Amino acid sequence: MNNSIQDLGKEKVGKLIFRYGLPCVISLLVGALYNIVDQMFIANASYLGSFGNAANTAVFPLTIVALAIAVMCGDGACAYASRLLGLKEKDKALKSVGSAVSITIISSIVLMAIYILFYDRLVIMFGGNVNEKTFIYAKEYLFYIALGIPFYMFGQAMNPIIRADGNPKFAMISILMGAITNIILDPIFIFIFKWGMMDAALATIIGQCVTALLSLWYLCNMKNLTVRLKDFIIDISQANKTLSSGLTSFLSQISLVFAMMAINNMIMKYSILDPIFF
């Protein structure tokens, strides 16, 4: 067991909060940049503008659904595996992490399939049919974003697991590198290639792939939670305890989805001053 894990039982609480909490906060702030950056560049593209922003807003809650499932697996594994490590039950901790990763991958593929098969109905559900042009943009954006869901969910689920392994800095760096990639590619794709909503979606997906690849590398080179192939076979008992530990994270995210869905539909129903909504 490396020094970073041993320090958890010896170091002062305040120092540990700074060491583990600050990178976590930065990771969350940087993760939020994906949507903000997309909205900024889309708004300044003459061929997308308000219609593109409206489409992005309609699709954004669906990415939060994916995030909710990912953090339930990742935060659950982080909390439960950390507790098991403290109890010197490393085998159970490895089973918890392996089960969480497997559930994340399986659920991400299922969610991707649902988004691709029912993307038009989902866009309507979240208020993306406010007008014809927004509806077309939203469907296009959701289709391509759906292709990146497995990478997005894997990277987000691995982030707290990496922290549980005692490396909060790498967890932060993996998210940061993905966001930087997105920031660099967004203006290139949107203003130079001009491929429509696919531009912003593709830049986001590539950024998510960068985070996922870094996370995959770390998964294969973990220090304390070196997961074996047999650990990826889902253990129902450990999986239940893991997901239960991450349930609060899931509920905090999924509640935002319902709030955004309600807001989008109320805006569509009661209209606003922008003439594109008339």
Side-chain angles (χ1 to χ4, degrees), residues 256-277:
L256 295 175
V257 175
F258 290 110
M260 287 185 282
M261 180 170 65
I263 291 170
N264 287 351
N265 279 279
M266 282 192 292
I267 290 173
M268 184 177 68
K269 181 176 180 179
Y270 296 107
S271 186
I272 58 174
L273 296 178
D274 194 322
I276 71 166
F277 290 94

Side-chain angles (χ1 to χ4, degrees), residues 245-265:
S245 299
L247 185 59
T248 53
S249 295
F250 172 81
L251 293 175
S252 66
Q253 294 294 333
I254 208 69
S255 61
L256 295 175
V257 175
F258 290 110
M260 287 185 282
M261 180 170 65
I263 291 170
N264 287 351
N265 279 279

Side-chain angles (χ1 to χ4, degrees), residues 69-87:
I69 298 172
V71 296
M72 178 172 64
C73 296
D75 287 353
C78 176
Y80 185 53
S82 296
R83 181 151 55 92
L84 290 171
L85 285 175
L87 294 171

Side-chain angles (χ1 to χ4, degrees), residues 8-72:
L8 292 175
K10 301 176 182 178
E11 195 63 76
K12 292 182 179 179
V13 174
K15 190 173 182 179
L16 288 173
I17 290 175
F18 181 80
R19 182 188 301 175
Y20 282 82
L22 184 60
C24 180
V25 171
I26 294 174
S27 295
L28 291 172
L29 290 174
V30 170
L33 285 176
Y34 276 98
N35 186 253
I36 296 172
V37 170
D38 282 354
Q39 290 278 22
M40 288 173 56
F41 287 116
I42 288 171
N44 285 281
S46 58
Y47 64 100
L48 294 175
S50 297
F51 295 104
N53 279 139
N56 184 287
T57 300
V59 172
F60 182 62
L62 293 167
T63 66
I64 302 299
V65 173
L67 177 63
I69 298 172
V71 296
M72 178 172 64

Side-chain angles (χ1 to χ4, degrees), residues 76-101 161 224-228 230-243 245:
C78 176
Y80 185 53
S82 296
R83 181 151 55 92
L84 290 171
L85 285 175
L87 294 171
K88 309 298 183 182
E89 297 183 14
K90 189 171 183 179
D91 284 342
K92 288 184 178 180
L94 296 179
K95 270 292 182 184
S96 172
V97 171
S99 295
V101 171
I161 292 173
N224 299 288
L225 296 168
T226 307
V227 185
R228 302 152 299 189
K230 66 178 183 179
D231 294 322
F232 291 107
I233 299 174
I234 297 175
D235 184 302
I236 300 300
S237 175
Q238 298 304 315
N240 286 337
K241 293 175 182 178
T242 297
L243 296 180
S245 299

